[in-house]
Amino acid sequence: MNRIRDFVRRHPALRETVRSVRGGLPRGFGGIESFGEERRFELALPIREGDTDAEPETLSFTVPGGLWVPRELQREGLAGFEPETLACFLAALDHAGPGAVLDIGANVGVYGLLAAARGTRPVHAFEPTPRVAATARELATANGLPIAVVECALGDRLGRASFTLSSTSDASNSLATGFRPAAERIEVRVDTLSRWCERTGTVPAVVKIDTETTEPEVIAGGIEALRAFRPWVLCEVLPGRGVEKRLMRLLRPLDYGWYQLGDEVPSPARAVIDGRIAEADQRMWLFAPQTPSDAFWADTRAWRRALQTCVPPSVLRA
């Protein structure tokens, strides 16, 4: 079996044929969802009370049908897609100092799209999966949003690395070997946050990190940038992978506070980072360079209320 897999990986045309066949099979028989079918829908964007001139009001999605994030957005809208984190993210855009937004582990770029649609900061979206990165780039262009999609992974060293394409979901692709069952492995370019910022002259102000258990490596490769620029960081913390201890070891010398993002606002400050205390759909944390102000949390609440209205038309009709 391993010899067959190696043979398929060495021949791109055959690999595409295999993926096409698997696209027509149920997952239980080794299938994956087809990228060929298009998914089209309008995504409602949050508008805070009083922001009557906020534009655009919606984003247009025309994307491959097999992508997980667009499927969830079409079904739930932003009201059901990490609203606790999105509200805090939008508040951070309002309160952070001058600088850019970095969406690391962007997938199709939801956070970057939202930042560009509701702000004027430069936005850079990092996504190493070629097809997903291409979709992120197409979405930004189709909606007239100035987002720079960087097709690489961020980690703790420069070079190239084996990247796992998950057989369960394109949202689970990772540099971490064995994190999810592998449909395929590809080689991707790897950069570090600090080197990339230095090379491009970018000042990070708000950073979102969701890289499927390699978040400590991203932080480790960005220590110099975090020390110099003190960006607000929103970071996924999955339990049971040793992520928490490594994050605390890296962040303590930088004097960052950490806040579990969930239903409660203000989000509670925690003495330790522990992914087990959160609900399964609330794995994001705020790493704050200073104590968030009352105004910060008030804006978080306002964005949360605005996101509650961002539901698909089918939900409104029901």
Side-chain angles (χ1 to χ4, degrees):
M1 181 62 71
N2 288 337
R3 289 181 180 178
I4 295 173
R5 289 174 179 169
D6 289 341
F7 180 80
V8 170
R9 288 168 185 161
R10 288 197 303 270
H11 296 79
L14 181 57
R15 186 169 63 234
E16 288 303 310
T17 300
V18 171
R19 289 184 64 86
S20 176
V21 171
R22 292 183 68 198
L25 295 175
R27 284 188 184 274
F29 292 90
I32 56 176
E33 290 187 84
S34 172
F35 277 75
E37 302 170 1
E38 280 192 340
R39 186 183 302 277
R40 295 173 178 264
F41 63 97
E42 295 291 311
L43 181 70
L45 296 180
I47 301 175
R48 286 182 297 185
E49 186 177 352
D51 292 346
T52 54
D53 58 347
E55 294 287 345
E57 295 184 5
T58 65
L59 295 178
S60 296
F61 275 64
T62 301
V63 298
L67 294 175
W68 184 84
V69 169
R71 184 184 69 198
E72 294 302 301
L73 290 172
Q74 184 179 30
R75 186 171 63 184
E76 302 286 347
L78 289 175
F81 186 83
E82 303 177 2
E84 305 84 5
T85 308
L86 289 176
C88 186
F89 174 76
L90 288 163
L93 298 181
D94 295 334
H95 288 266
V101 178
L102 306 186
D103 184 358
I104 302 170
N107 198 272
V108 298
V110 174
Y111 283 80
L113 290 166
L114 196 52
R118 287 294 176 262
T120 59
R121 297 177 184 273
V123 179
H124 304 273
F126 296 81
E127 174 53 52
T129 310
R131 293 189 183 188
V132 181
T135 300
R137 196 174 293 112
E138 291 162 5
L139 281 172
T141 300
N143 287 281
L145 297 175
I147 300 172
V149 177
V150 186
E151 194 172 312
C152 81
L154 291 186
D156 58 1
R157 57 180 59 89
L158 300 172
R160 301 190 70 82
S162 177
F163 185 75
T164 298
L165 302 183
S166 170
S167 62
T168 58
S169 166
D170 59 271
S172 296
N173 299 342
S174 178
L175 282 174
T177 302
F179 171 63
R180 290 286 188 265
E184 185 180 349
R185 288 187 176 87
I186 61 174
E187 188 179 81
V188 300
R189 181 167 65 92
V190 182
D191 209 337
T192 71
L193 174 58
S194 293
R195 293 286 184 87
W196 184 87
C197 288
E198 180 182 10
R199 189 171 61 254
T200 60
T202 300
V203 174
V206 179
V207 179
K208 167 255 176 182
I209 309 172
D210 183 352
T211 57
E212 303 301 291
T213 74
T214 65
E215 291 81 9
E217 285 80 0
V218 177
I219 294 290
I223 288 295
E224 295 174 2
L226 267 62
R227 183 180 292 114
F229 303 117
R230 310 288 293 166
W232 295 75
V233 178
L234 293 99
C235 182
E236 184 179 50
V237 179
L238 294 177
R241 301 281 174 172
V243 170
E244 298 98 329
K245 289 183 179 179
R246 288 184 287 156
L247 286 172
M248 288 188 289
R249 188 164 57 247
L250 292 163
L251 291 169
R252 276 199 178 107
L254 301 178
D255 197 28
Y256 267 73
W258 35 76
Y259 300 79
Q260 177 203 353
L261 300 180
D263 296 330
E264 187 178 350
V265 179
S267 298
R270 299 293 187 182
V272 297
I273 300 172
D274 187 350
R276 296 172 301 176
I277 63 178
E279 299 293 332
D281 60 346
Q282 296 176 347
R283 300 297 195 192
M284 298 291 283
W285 287 61
L286 170 66
F287 299 153
Q290 62 194 56
T291 302
S293 65
D294 291 342
F296 178 95
W297 294 121
D299 280 341
T300 300
R301 291 192 193 93
W303 282 117
R304 183 84 67 89
R305 290 192 295 270
L307 284 161
Q308 288 173 352
T309 69
C310 297
V311 296
S314 59
V315 175
L316 290 174
R317 288 193 296 269

